Amino acid sequence: MPPLLRPALLPRSLTSRLFSTSRALPIARITIVGRLAADPELTVTSTGQEMVKYAVGTSYGPRENRQTSWWRVASFAKEGEGRERVLGLGKGTLVYLEGDASMRKYEKDGKVESALSIVQQKLEVLKRPDSSLDSLE
């Protein structure tokens, strides 16, 4: 069997190059299908960078005992049509979201808390409250 078909026998530096030409970075990708909890809003970070913040809700379980999870999302789309389309979405819009997830820790009332942060990479509108279709990248 040729050596390239048996990556376990190759040095680690060579096996990473078999699958990618870029440096390997740890990343957690998350996919969510849910409804917007409220209209997205434009905010400015402490460093002056503009971002769109919004929350997406996902529900599961039987109707009489349904549970909802809320996901906070940030979009750093540059000023223009893409950002304006996100800002134009309304509460209740069904969306398909792909984003990069990371855990962050903070202190609240002397206790260390953690939260999941999601940075939007792709957003597709599946159904608006008025039933029209649209998509964003």
Side-chain angles (χ1 to χ4, degrees), residues 2 9 15 23-24 39 63 88-90 102-103 107 110 115 118 123 136:
L9 300 177
T15 57
R23 192 174 123 241
D39 296 348
R63 176 166 236 131
L89 298 176
S102 63
M103 291 298 292
E107 192 170 323
I118 301 172
L123 180 71
L136 300 175

Side-chain angles (χ1 to χ4, degrees), residues 40-55:
E41 52 186 55
L42 182 63
T43 62
V44 179
T45 66
S46 59
T47 61
Q49 185 176 14
E50 292 182 333
M51 71 175 182
V52 177
K53 291 171 46 173
Y54 58 95

Side-chain angles (χ1 to χ4, degrees), residues 5-107:
L5 298 178
R6 296 175 58 189
L9 300 177
L10 295 175
R12 182 182 277 284
S13 61
L14 290 178
T15 57
S16 64
R17 297 292 110 204
L18 290 175
F19 304 105
S20 175
T21 58
S22 61
R23 192 174 123 241
L25 297 173
I27 191 165
R29 182 60 56 110
I30 189 167
T31 302
I32 299 171
V33 175
R35 295 194 179 273
L36 294 183
D39 296 348
E41 52 186 55
L42 182 63
T43 62
V44 179
T45 66
S46 59
T47 61
Q49 185 176 14
E50 292 182 333
M51 71 175 182
V52 177
K53 291 171 46 173
Y54 58 95
V56 176
T58 57
S59 297
Y60 57 93
R63 176 166 236 131
E64 62 276 354
N65 195 19
R66 184 156 293 163
Q67 297 180 15
T68 302
S69 296
W70 297 101
W71 308 88
R72 293 183 188 151
V73 183
S75 171
F76 292 94
K78 300 208 183 303
E79 186 174 1
E81 184 182 333
R83 184 166 75 184
E84 294 306 315
R85 290 176 73 188
V86 173
L87 287 168
L89 298 176
K91 177 180 178 177
T93 303
L94 183 65
V95 295
Y96 169 89
L97 166 73
E98 287 182 14
D100 298 330
S102 63
M103 291 298 292
R104 62 181 174 85
K105 293 185 180 188
Y106 60 96
E107 192 170 323

Side-chain angles (χ1 to χ4, degrees), residues 106-113:
Y106 60 96
E107 192 170 323
K108 181 179 179 182
D109 300 328
K111 187 176 175 184
V112 177
E113 302 280 342

